[in-house]
Amino acid sequence: MLQEEVSHPIQRPVLGLLTRTVVRSPVVRSIIPARVRHRNRNDVVFVYDDAIVIKEVLGGERIAKDPFRGISLGEVIEKRDFDSPILAAKIWGLRREPKVPQFPGHLWDPRSHTYRSQSPVETKPEPFHDNEIPPQILVLSLVSRILVFLFAYHDVHGRVHFLSNTWRLPAQAELIEELGRHLAVDPRSRAMAVGAHQNRVTIYTLKSMDQIKKEVQKPEGLDAKEFKPILEERHTEVDGAILKVEFLHPSKGDEHRVILLLVVAMGMKTRLVRFEWDCRSGLSELERKPNQALPDSERMPLLLIPLTYGTSFALVCEHHITVYRDILTGNARGETGQLEHYEPREEPSGSTTPPIWTQWARPMRSTERVQPAIDNIYLCREDGVVRYIDIGEDSTPMMASYHEAGILKANLSGAFATLDLGNESNDLLVAAGEMGDGGMWYFKPRKALDLVGTFRNWTPLRDITAARVRSPISDLVGMDSQPFERTEHLFACSGRGPRHSVLTEVRTGTEAVKLGLPVDLGELAAQGILNMWAMPDQSNTGIYLMISHPADTDMIFLPSSSKLDPQAANKIEEFDLDIGTIAAGSTAEGYLIQVTSSSINAIAQDHGILPFSWKPGEASITTASFMTVRSRTTVLLTVLQKSNGFYLHQGHFGTRNGRIAFDELGELILLPSEASSASLHWIGNILVAFVGILNGTLQVYTAEPGSCFSLYVEYSFTDPDAICDSIAMLITDFQLLTDEVEEGYMVVCGFRNGLVETLWFDGGSQRKHKEYGSVFGMSIAMKAGNQRLLADLHAGGQRLSVCERLEIGTTDVQVTTDATRNSRAFVVCEQTLYTLEYLRGASRTNLGVVNKVWLTDPNSSSFQQGSLTCFTQANTSIPQGYSQFAAGSLFYLAGSSLVLADISSSPMTEMVPRRLPLVGTPTTILYSERLNSLVVLYTTVAIDTTGRSAAKRDRPERRALHPAVAIIKPETELLRPKQDGKDILNVLDATEVLLGENFLGLMEWFPTDGFKKYHLIVVHTQVEQSRSQDARSRLLFFKPIVKDVGEISLKPKIRLEHGAEIKAVASYGDSSLIYGCGDDIVLRMLDMNSKKKFKPMVKLTLRSPAIHISVDGTDIHVSTESHGHHVISVEDNRLIPKWADRTSRTGAHHLVIPHTSLVMVVDLECRVSGLWQPTKPQLDRTAPLLFEAVLPRSITRLCRITRPYWQNKHSKLIQVEGIIGTCEDGTIYQLSVLNEVSWRLLAFIQDMAMREPKICPYPSPRGHKPRIEALSVKERNLHIDGDILIRFLECEGKRLLSDMLGEPDWELFKHLIEGVFGGKVPDGDLVEVVLGWMRILLLPAI
């Protein structure tokens, strides 16, 4: 349950607002192929609204057969600390040159960054050097009037970092000027221009890349202080609105000339404005040339394209393209070519105008491929149409080639580019969708575009609802009150048009992508499956899957083909399949091992080695674990049950006399009680065994290689009834206060009662100096760690301590270590798979990141994964790259369906949306608990093209809007919402809709006559009228009818017509409706005794229309269009204003927090405000403002959810939490209300973090605010930016906080901690305590 205030406070409280971003917008502003990390790294920069992400082009395993099959973009590093929107982005530096193969037939391999032959012989990739400046640098202009120059580089450990420098732009003369909106770089990277919306351009000269390398690249590393790219700056004014800014290529023989071209709207004319200078003389010789007027047909050019030959350029307009030449000789002469613009759209559009050209791209071409006098250009249109144009020099035809490349099936804006793969004849197009998915397309001449990758997009996000979907575990357990069932699912309306409109289930976690078709295990699953293990076939033809049932074992073989086709593995007769299996797996020596309660069996896949089998006599084996240590020796640990107790038994496998041998080590070790689990691990150079005992303890045994185990430590769990059924070991690096990094070992224990307890295991920790470190987690000081561990062993000290406890569920928890990531564990509870990871590089106060694993199907966006029966992981990869069984692949069994999936390697929480397709644009959604369904309003568009002549092809079509209602079960998997040309989701009869009617919103209504409660769906509509007619709207009442087959239809019951627009409706009392009709608030009561007719209206007139209405008890809350928030009460059948907002805000949405005095209000001016409801009448009838935050974007919807079950301790630290705010650009915020003491401590830390350049490297021009303790408690000071605090925690938070706390600050810090922890200073390291407290506060709620 969410913790809330139990009563309305009499005194106005001091509350703070904590915000953090839980889902970032997927909208990409631009895509720039650039080598900003290394000359051999084929990177692509994705520029978002306030962040950049560098991705690397990665190749598939079958690149020798098809160079584009399997191409993907892997994320390298992201940068999100600009704290300001990005206006424009460009690259400068050495020009990108195509990779030319040294031999014919060689292909560029983007995975190894080298050319490789189509023969099996592979070449070695060219190595890259540490701390090397790349050939290109990224330039960003920010809204905060800052130019950012940055590049990425690798340190000595292989980690990637950013190095940046800033340049302050001059102050704006006018508010709308926005200097930095235009950004252009000279083709030879000698100069750069920054333009405003109007009137001003600033020109810079830049240093050469050779000079920058000489200044920055030092033997000891990169000198960030010497990274200063700018040489000169000059401000220039132009009279008019600046439309385009570009540099032109110099002509041959005139390479020192720099030419800057502007397209400027001056009055009623558009002119070309040109600046020139000699780069050897600098900006002192800058000369402005006479303007040239453009024809009226080019008053608003869409694109300005500098051509590579001469000083030519092209202007792209809506219907034509004009190539201008000879601009240096006076007025440039233009040659126009028509662009065949209009084509019937594949899908109906919501726009009445034809689509426009939005972006261009120049593919990389070598001189061996094309003539140097030809420019190859791709033109991209907003509806996805792509044209390929060859533009020739003066002596050749203007358009040597012009044809359609294809349709990308995406809504596009400016994010379009071509990637350089060194291929000789084909291109790879990449585009990010604006209101739908983007992707990568393989383009072959005269062939259809082939989609090879997808970029998800869930914008625009219009409406959202929280749905309590029945979990599959409820049916299994038979209890609807299970705690894990109270977690809602979030569904949102997103997309536009018939192809991109979807209902998006907002899910965050870790994605696992299905590979191929599922396998139906049939009778094998019907027998009940306890566990399974995947073991590779050494002959490289597939994988053996051993499946353990309660009474026996089955073994099947999955061939490494494109289609999984299980086959019986009868050839392995040495395994005991007549009994259930306890443990199984493969070893580095190629052995396949099976352990049952009565035998240990091992076979070698090398048929020249005989198998091994051992039986324990009268004893039985209860649990087992084995692993291969670095000496390629496999050690086996088992627990034997004898008549006189339980014993630990150990040994190792080897080969002797042509057969597998098993050598026992030492005597049996008597255990204090029955063992519930056992797990072997290799730490440093020591073998460590963890044994869970039924008496609530964990015993740790250690042994050197070749020696027998001895008891190291016995640990008692906090809960004496806790039984540890599974154990996993994680390895992570955490930061010390010194310049050292310590490798930490974490023991993850899964209990039978649904708990997971994580323990720090300190024996054997490796301490590594920062300057030497470790490479990819492998310890350098192995020998020193071994000696340290042995010393700890002799000392007998306590080496286990609690890190954290997580309540995952209520039943047994199974944990295993990820075979490919030793910092991540898999957690299985309540038939659900999670990942648990402790991120590297932070302090010991790190909390584990728990992510649910979401299985997705690339062929079905609405795929609904089933409840997990069992899973296993492929722990090895099959060489030569022709198998789909990659290392780490998951075998996921749901019911009888076995799925192979590739799990994401990202340690961060990702958005993994599930999408239910629609045929129209969704606008409103609600979840009906009565129907256990989602009710959705959406609009389809039909286009009438009949009777159109060829002469009128460019005129807009006649469009018709058709509103519809869909009722969808949340667990439904929708593949085709349209069959035989008919929308199968619409439950509304077309006769119920008037011509020109548009559905605006809906609600559920449950009127009652005191004896019976009725269920109605209420839809409010608007009917389009001509300008001479008054507005018209309707209220439509439908009764849901549930049929025997589960289908739901709507039966019309009542219709109410009004003359003004109705934008919001809510239920009031037992049988009343409250709604906004124009500027009026109308209360209507249904007379249940008079044939269910409505009684006369009760009205109250406001200053602007109501756009959102909700009811809290007897209070009616109204957010208006332009006059803030109002609260109205009903007294004596009258509507009485109770109180109102003090601010005339452009309202968007509000959320009333039940049982509190708080109302959250958001508006279109990006503000989030907390209003306090006065309990006594105020003289001015206004509500005091408790807090206010200004966010980078406007929140348009608010809703409230409960947290995942394992975060139940979070609610004890927050005044009001679980508030979710969504924005149209797809961003989702998490809002939490803080009490005063929590706000003061977080504000103190935030203030110091904002002054630290590592956290906030790009401060606003106004600088930082005064120290927070010197400020009065003003509303805007009460906002805590959780994104800044998260960056603080991720960037060595303990070290930074310790360094920043001086003696005066330390006393204040302690005082603030006392307030948070109830007047007492907690024990332990105060910095670590506070950081742990912060991490809990900042946990994402979804």
Side-chain angles (χ1 to χ4, degrees):
M1 295 294 292
L2 299 173
Q3 180 165 329
E4 300 170 347
E5 303 169 60
V6 295
S7 62
H8 291 258
I10 298 176
Q11 185 178 0
R12 174 183 171 181
V14 176
L15 299 176
L17 178 67
L18 172 65
T19 64
R20 66 151 296 179
T21 307
V22 290
V23 175
R24 298 190 179 274
S25 171
V27 177
V28 181
R29 301 301 179 189
S30 61
I31 300 175
I32 307 175
R35 299 184 186 272
V36 294
R37 182 168 51 115
H38 192 270
R39 64 177 184 272
N40 292 334
R41 299 294 174 177
N42 196 2
D43 291 337
V44 184
V45 180
F46 280 61
V47 181
Y48 294 83
D49 184 58
D50 55 2
I52 63 169
V53 177
I54 297 179
K55 299 187 178 184
E56 183 177 12
V57 181
L58 302 175
E61 295 295 339
R62 303 178 185 180
I63 192 168
K65 293 185 176 181
D66 187 342
F68 285 86
R69 191 59 53 194
I71 289 290
S72 63
L73 295 181
E75 186 169 320
V76 176
I77 189 173
E78 64 179 24
K79 188 173 179 65
R80 299 188 180 274
D81 56 0
F82 297 107
D83 294 325
S84 174
I86 299 172
L87 290 174
K90 293 287 184 180
I91 59 167
W92 69 276
L94 301 180
R95 184 179 175 183
R96 286 196 311 146
E97 296 292 343
K99 292 285 184 178
V100 181
Q102 298 177 359
F103 305 99
H106 280 57
L107 299 173
W108 171 249
D109 183 355
R111 188 166 193 169
S112 61
H113 314 288
T114 183
Y115 276 93
R116 57 187 294 181
S117 171
Q118 297 186 25
S119 65
V121 180
E122 298 190 9
T123 57
K124 295 182 179 180
E126 181 183 350
F128 62 87
H129 303 283
D130 302 324
N131 297 327
E132 180 178 316
I133 294 181
Q136 294 177 331
I137 291 174
L138 184 67
V139 187
L140 305 173
S141 61
L142 308 182
V143 170
S144 57
R145 304 202 317 271
I146 293 176
L147 285 179
V148 180
F149 300 84
L150 61 86
F151 62 87
Y153 67 95
H154 292 261
D155 63 13
V156 294
H157 310 303
R159 293 185 289 262
V160 184
H161 306 275
F162 279 109
L163 191 147
S164 67
N165 180 272
T166 60
W167 185 274
R168 181 72 63 187
L169 293 173
Q172 295 183 171
E174 300 178 21
L175 182 63
I176 62 172
E177 190 177 73
E178 201 169 34
L179 187 62
R181 172 58 63 182
H182 300 284
L183 187 62
V185 177
D186 173 56
R188 297 175 182 265
S189 299
R190 300 165 297 182
M192 179 179 66
V194 179
H197 270 308
Q198 59 184 18
N199 300 338
R200 286 213 294 172
V201 174
T202 301
I203 303 174
Y204 301 90
T205 57
L206 305 173
K207 298 178 182 178
S208 66
M209 288 302 298
D210 291 338
Q211 185 176 354
I212 289 178
K213 287 184 178 181
K214 186 176 180 181
E215 294 174 352
V216 179
Q217 202 164 295
K218 304 294 178 61
E220 62 274 13
L222 300 180
D223 189 350
K225 296 181 180 179
E226 296 299 325
F227 181 42
K228 300 174 182 179
I230 291 180
L231 283 173
E232 291 181 273
E233 177 184 39
R234 181 167 175 176
H235 308 293
T236 305
E237 292 191 2
V238 292
D239 184 16
I242 302 174
L243 304 180
K244 303 292 177 184
V245 179
E246 286 289 354
F247 283 88
L248 302 184
H249 290 258
S251 57
K252 293 181 180 180
D254 196 14
E255 286 80 6
H256 298 296
R257 186 184 298 270
V258 183
I259 308 167
L260 175 62
L261 181 67
L262 283 69
V263 181
V264 183
M266 299 179 178
M268 300 301 293
K269 282 287 186 180
T270 299
R271 301 179 186 275
L272 297 176
V273 179
R274 189 171 89 253
F275 296 90
E276 296 180 16
W277 75 95
D278 191 309
C279 66
R280 296 169 294 184
S281 303
L283 293 177
S284 60
E285 300 296 327
L286 179 69
E287 182 180 0
R288 178 170 176 172
K289 299 297 182 178
N291 300 341
Q292 176 180 343
L294 292 174
D296 290 343
S297 61
E298 295 169 6
R299 288 181 56 187
M300 293 295 292
L302 301 173
L303 301 172
L304 170 59
I305 306 175
L307 301 180
T308 56
Y309 56 84
T311 56
S312 303
F313 61 94
L315 289 179
V316 178
C317 299
E318 187 173 351
H319 302 287
H320 68 272
I321 177 173
T322 302
V323 176
Y324 286 88
R325 300 184 175 91
D326 302 328
I327 194 172
L328 298 184
T329 61
N331 283 351
R333 57 185 179 89
E335 183 181 354
T336 299
Q338 294 299 316
L339 294 175
E340 185 182 351
H341 184 276
Y342 183 80
E343 291 180 0
R345 298 183 177 90
E346 286 194 301
E347 60 181 57
S349 170
S351 174
T352 59
T353 60
I356 62 174
W357 304 101
T358 58
Q359 189 55 281
W360 65 278
R362 178 180 286 116
M364 296 298 297
R365 294 288 186 263
S366 68
T367 56
E368 297 179 4
R369 285 187 52 183
V370 298
Q371 301 175 10
I374 296 293
D375 241 317
N376 309 115
I377 300 294
Y378 282 101
L379 286 183
C380 169
R381 212 167 67 180
E382 63 180 347
D383 61 347
V385 172
V386 178
R387 294 281 191 268
Y388 183 78
I389 304 176
D390 290 338
I391 302 178
E393 209 171 4
D394 190 26
S395 58
T396 61
M398 194 274 286
M399 289 188 182
S401 174
Y402 172 80
H403 60 86
E404 179 181 324
I407 300 177
L408 301 185
K409 301 184 185 300
N411 294 323
L412 306 179
S413 56
F416 173 76
T418 62
L419 302 186
D420 173 27
L421 298 179
N423 187 261
E424 295 184 354
S425 59
N426 308 315
D427 292 320
L428 190 66
L429 309 182
V430 56
E434 186 179 26
M435 293 188 181
D437 289 349
M440 295 187 296
W441 289 266
Y442 177 28
F443 174 58
K444 292 182 179 180
R446 296 171 295 278
K447 299 289 185 180
L449 288 172
D450 184 12
L451 180 66
V452 295
T454 300
F455 308 133
R456 292 194 184 101
N457 192 326
W458 49 90
T459 62
L461 206 159
R462 296 183 184 87
D463 196 13
I464 194 166
T465 187
R468 186 177 182 269
V469 181
R470 179 177 294 274
S471 172
I473 194 68
S474 320
D475 303 328
L476 179 68
V477 180
M479 298 173 61
D480 287 336
S481 59
Q482 290 294 322
F484 47 84
E485 266 225 331
R486 292 199 293 267
T487 300
E488 292 95 348
H489 294 237
L490 288 177
F491 288 89
C493 297
S494 58
R496 185 182 68 179
R499 180 181 294 122
H500 306 293
S501 295
V502 293
L503 293 184
T504 298
E505 182 180 354
V506 179
R507 310 184 306 187
T508 60
T510 299
E511 182 178 14
V513 181
K514 286 177 58 180
L515 302 175
L517 298 175
V519 175
D520 187 7
L521 296 185
E523 295 181 359
L524 296 181
Q527 301 176 38
I529 297 179
L530 300 180
N531 209 337
M532 62 182 181
W533 299 266
M535 299 175 286
D537 176 22
Q538 198 174 37
S539 62
N540 194 24
T541 58
I543 275 188
Y544 294 104
L545 197 65
M546 182 173 286
I547 301 173
S548 176
H549 306 291
D552 60 3
T553 299
D554 279 300
M555 198 165 185
I556 61 176
F557 181 75
L558 300 176
S560 57
S561 60
S562 58
K563 181 180 179 181
L564 295 180
D565 186 14
Q567 306 169 4
N570 297 326
K571 63 178 182 178
I572 305 183
E573 301 175 353
E574 293 80 0
F575 284 148
D576 186 358
L577 303 181
D578 296 328
I579 192 172
T581 299
I582 296 175
S586 59
T587 71
E589 304 101 309
Y591 301 160
L592 303 183
I593 296 178
Q594 178 202 27
V595 180
T596 70
S597 60
S598 59
S599 65
I600 298 173
N601 306 295
I603 67 169
Q605 298 191 59
D606 183 354
H607 297 292
I609 301 177
L610 298 177
F612 166 82
S613 182
W614 178 84
K615 298 184 181 300
E618 297 181 357
S620 63
I621 302 173
T622 61
T623 186
S625 177
F626 61 88
M627 72 169 301
T628 303
V629 296
R630 288 176 182 161
S631 58
R632 295 183 63 86
T633 300
T634 299
V635 180
L636 173 67
L637 180 73
T638 59
V639 175
L640 301 179
Q641 180 180 5
K642 294 189 172 185
S643 58
N644 59 344
F646 294 87
Y647 294 86
L648 203 62
H649 172 249
Q650 56 184 313
H652 62 83
F653 290 96
T655 304
R656 190 166 50 247
N657 298 328
R659 67 169 53 244
I660 300 175
F662 180 75
D663 297 324
E664 299 182 60
L665 295 175
E667 301 293 332
L668 297 179
I669 301 175
L670 179 64
L671 299 177
S673 180
E674 180 179 352
S676 55
S677 59
S679 184
L680 274 176
H681 299 278
W682 182 258
I683 299 178
N685 210 22
I686 298 295
L687 196 61
V688 181
F690 297 92
V691 182
I693 308 297
L694 286 182
N695 62 7
T697 62
L698 178 69
Q699 290 194 337
V700 183
Y701 295 84
T702 59
E704 290 189 83
S707 304
C708 59
F709 282 107
S710 60
L711 182 63
Y712 173 43
V713 67
E714 184 176 33
Y715 174 81
S716 297
F717 292 112
T718 307
D719 184 357
D721 297 327
I723 299 176
C724 178
D725 272 347
S726 57
I727 303 168
M729 168 69 76
L730 304 183
I731 302 176
T732 186
D733 294 339
F734 60 89
Q735 188 73 44
L736 303 178
L737 286 179
T738 62
D739 285 339
E740 296 178 328
V741 174
E742 190 168 67
E743 189 176 74
Y745 300 91
M746 311 188 74
V747 184
V748 183
C749 303
F751 297 155
R752 291 185 183 177
N753 58 1
L755 296 179
V756 170
E757 186 167 319
T758 306
L759 309 173
W760 277 106
F761 180 65
D762 291 332
S765 296
Q766 305 295 331
R767 183 166 296 185
K768 299 165 287 184
H769 291 283
K770 192 172 184 180
E771 58 270 23
Y772 298 108
S774 66
V775 180
F776 307 117
M778 299 298 292
S779 173
I780 293 177
M782 189 184 305
K783 184 176 180 180
N786 188 21
Q787 295 173 350
R788 177 182 175 185
L789 177 57
L790 292 177
D792 292 335
L793 176 63
H794 293 304
Q798 180 72 14
R799 307 301 299 171
L800 287 169
S801 57
V802 177
C803 177
E804 68 170 329
R805 290 164 57 89
L806 298 169
E807 298 180 56
I808 303 295
T810 58
T811 61
D812 179 51
V813 177
Q814 293 294 320
V815 297
T816 56
T817 305
D818 189 339
T820 58
R821 292 179 62 86
N822 55 14
S823 62
R824 181 167 72 178
F826 291 109
V827 180
V828 179
C829 183
E830 318 286 11
Q831 294 185 300
T832 305
L833 179 63
Y834 305 89
T835 61
L836 170 62
E837 182 156 9
Y838 289 84
L839 302 182
R840 298 177 180 272
S843 67
R844 286 195 175 203
T845 56
N846 263 8
L847 296 178
V849 179
V850 179
N851 285 323
K852 186 174 180 178
V853 175
W854 297 104
L855 200 62
T856 61
D857 188 344
N859 299 316
S860 173
S861 63
S862 61
F863 172 75
Q864 179 75 5
Q865 69 189 53
S867 298
L868 177 67
T869 302
C870 185
F871 95 100
T872 188
Q873 189 178 20
N875 60 358
T876 186
S877 60
I878 297 178
Q880 299 180 9
Y882 286 89
S883 171
Q884 57 183 313
F885 302 117
S889 296
L890 295 182
F891 291 86
Y892 187 103
L893 179 64
S896 63
S897 180
L898 178 66
V899 174
L900 178 65
D902 181 20
I903 189 167
S904 171
S905 60
S906 173
M908 308 306 295
T909 302
E910 302 172 318
M911 174 73 164
V912 190
R914 172 176 168 258
R915 295 177 292 186
L916 306 174
L918 300 172
V919 297
T921 303
T923 55
T924 308
I925 184 173
L926 66 82
Y927 174 70
S928 171
E929 290 194 11
R930 174 75 66 89
L931 302 175
N932 189 31
S933 300
L934 299 168
V935 185
V936 188
L937 294 185
Y938 62 100
T939 303
T940 61
V941 181
I943 296 180
D944 182 13
T945 59
T946 58
R948 295 173 57 82
S949 64
K952 298 180 179 180
R953 295 176 65 187
D954 290 329
R955 297 184 181 180
E957 314 94 336
R958 296 180 58 186
R959 302 177 309 136
L961 302 179
H962 299 290
V965 179
I967 300 178
I968 304 172
K969 295 291 184 182
E971 65 275 9
T972 301
E973 183 174 350
L974 291 176
L975 296 178
R976 289 176 294 275
K978 201 171 184 179
Q979 293 180 4
D980 299 327
K982 183 180 179 181
D983 181 7
I984 63 174
L985 295 180
N986 186 15
V987 297
L988 203 60
D989 193 328
T991 59
E992 298 299 325
V993 183
L994 299 178
L995 182 64
E997 189 168 24
N998 184 26
F999 288 3
L1000 301 181
L1002 79 162
M1003 59 160 287
E1004 273 190 302
W1005 191 29
F1006 298 93
T1008 177
D1009 56 7
F1011 302 98
K1012 183 179 179 181
K1013 182 177 287 188
Y1014 301 88
H1015 182 203
L1016 296 174
I1017 301 292
V1018 183
V1019 179
H1020 54 96
T1021 77
Q1022 177 188 9
V1023 182
E1024 291 185 2
Q1025 303 282 80
S1026 63
R1027 295 182 179 179
S1028 60
Q1029 294 178 313
D1030 295 332
R1032 181 184 175 192
S1033 62
R1034 298 200 301 169
L1035 284 176
L1036 306 178
F1037 298 80
F1038 300 93
K1039 179 181 179 181
I1041 305 297
V1042 181
K1043 301 178 182 179
D1044 295 338
V1045 293
E1047 295 182 359
I1048 302 174
S1049 62
L1050 294 181
K1051 180 180 180 180
K1053 302 296 291 184
I1054 309 173
R1055 301 179 186 88
L1056 293 179
E1057 293 201 8
H1058 288 272
E1061 185 177 4
I1062 298 175
K1063 295 184 177 180
V1065 184
S1067 63
Y1068 183 85
D1070 291 336
S1071 56
S1072 298
L1073 281 181
I1074 186 81
Y1075 54 91
C1077 184
D1079 292 343
D1080 294 333
I1081 299 297
V1082 179
L1083 177 67
R1084 297 290 297 269
M1085 179 177 292
L1086 186 64
D1087 189 350
M1088 307 299 291
N1089 300 319
S1090 178
K1091 297 183 180 180
K1092 300 181 177 57
K1093 294 183 178 180
F1094 282 95
K1095 293 182 179 180
M1097 294 185 293
V1098 179
K1099 293 184 179 180
L1100 175 68
T1101 302
L1102 301 178
R1103 298 174 63 188
S1104 60
I1107 58 174
H1108 182 216
I1109 300 176
S1110 66
V1111 176
D1112 179 29
T1114 59
D1115 290 341
I1116 302 168
H1117 290 260
V1118 181
S1119 289
T1120 63
E1121 198 170 72
S1122 56
H1123 290 87
H1125 190 79
H1126 298 259
V1127 174
I1128 302 169
S1129 63
V1130 181
E1131 298 179 10
D1132 299 328
N1133 202 29
R1134 294 184 303 156
L1135 295 175
I1136 306 298
K1138 191 173 181 181
W1139 57 267
D1141 192 353
R1142 292 178 178 177
T1143 304
S1144 294
R1145 65 183 81 245
T1146 53
H1149 210 258
H1150 67 261
L1151 179 66
V1152 181
I1153 310 300
H1155 314 298
T1156 72
S1157 298
L1158 183 63
V1159 181
M1160 302 283 288
V1161 180
V1162 295
D1163 58 42
L1164 299 182
E1165 298 172 359
C1166 305
R1167 291 179 296 186
V1168 180
S1169 306
L1171 303 181
W1172 181 63
Q1173 305 181 57
T1175 55
K1176 296 181 180 180
Q1178 306 289 311
L1179 293 178
D1180 58 356
R1181 291 185 176 273
T1182 60
L1185 181 65
L1186 292 182
F1187 52 77
E1188 187 170 81
V1190 180
L1191 301 178
R1193 51 189 61 83
S1194 297
I1195 291 177
T1196 56
R1197 289 292 184 271
L1198 292 170
C1199 71
R1200 204 160 178 203
I1201 64 172
T1202 54
R1203 286 185 169 273
Y1205 187 54
W1206 60 84
Q1207 294 184 12
N1208 58 1
K1209 60 183 177 182
H1210 180 279
S1211 60
K1212 302 175 183 178
L1213 305 175
I1214 296 290
Q1215 193 84 1
V1216 180
E1217 57 106 24
I1219 303 172
I1220 297 298
T1222 62
C1223 309
E1224 282 212 357
D1225 70 348
T1227 302
I1228 300 180
Y1229 287 102
Q1230 175 178 306
L1231 313 176
S1232 303
V1233 180
L1234 305 169
N1235 56 29
E1236 182 178 1
V1237 292
S1238 297
W1239 164 74
R1240 289 193 178 277
L1241 179 54
L1242 290 179
F1244 174 80
I1245 297 173
Q1246 176 182 258
D1247 177 73
M1248 291 191 294
M1250 293 178 66
R1251 299 170 186 275
E1252 172 55 50
K1254 290 183 179 180
I1255 309 301
C1256 299
Y1258 314 110
S1260 65
R1262 292 172 292 182
H1264 294 296
K1265 299 177 181 179
R1267 289 299 297 267
I1268 196 69
E1269 63 267 19
L1271 295 172
S1272 60
V1273 181
K1274 295 182 179 180
E1275 291 82 2
R1276 289 201 176 184
N1277 294 335
L1278 294 168
H1279 174 218
I1280 302 297
D1281 190 340
D1283 294 336
I1284 292 179
L1285 297 183
I1286 291 173
R1287 295 205 305 257
F1288 176 78
L1289 293 173
E1290 293 175 348
C1291 187
E1292 304 176 6
K1294 182 176 180 180
R1295 177 201 300 270
L1296 290 176
L1297 187 56
S1298 301
D1299 292 342
M1300 291 186 292
L1301 284 172
E1303 187 172 345
D1305 292 332
W1306 181 258
E1307 294 301 322
L1308 176 59
F1309 182 61
K1310 289 177 60 177
H1311 175 71
L1312 294 174
I1313 293 175
E1314 289 179 3
V1316 170
F1317 290 92
K1320 297 180 180 179
V1321 177
D1323 298 331
D1325 188 328
L1326 291 184
V1327 173
E1328 285 198 355
V1329 170
V1330 170
L1331 294 182
W1333 170 76
M1334 288 172 57
R1335 287 187 174 91
I1336 295 177
L1337 291 181
L1338 294 167
L1339 285 174
I1342 57 176

